[in-house]
Amino acid sequence: MLNAGKTVDKAMQFMCIHNNPGHPINISEGLTGHFEQLMVETVQKSRKTQAYLKARAKADQERKGPRS
């Protein structure tokens, strides 16, 4: 996962293996669950471009498969 720019919050900065002085590598079910929830919220709140909406509709249609 790559986060860049001024919108990266403190929690994400803390988990950075480059900028955090301890260079953490985290393996934890609890941390994984928290991180996944954070990513879900980030995606849900993000602006959806027309290109994204078109690609999403195409992917949804492909998952449904051919109609009988």
Side-chain angles (χ1 to χ4, degrees), residues 2-3 6 14-15 17-18 28 39 41 44 51 60 63:
L2 173 66
N3 291 291
K6 295 179 182 179
F14 182 74
M15 293 186 345
I17 63 173
H18 177 72
S28 163
M39 294 303 99
E41 291 170 5
Q44 288 174 341
D60 289 345
R63 270 194 288 275

Side-chain angles (χ1 to χ4, degrees), residues 30-48:
L31 182 61
T32 300
H34 176 72
F35 186 72
E36 287 174 354
Q37 183 60 38
L38 180 62
M39 294 303 99
V40 166
E41 291 170 5
T42 300
V43 170
Q44 288 174 341
K45 292 177 185 176
S46 68
R47 182 176 64 89
K48 310 300 188 282

Side-chain angles (χ1 to χ4, degrees), residues 59-67:
D60 289 345
Q61 188 63 33
E62 288 173 354
R63 270 194 288 275
K64 290 180 184 177
R67 293 185 182 224

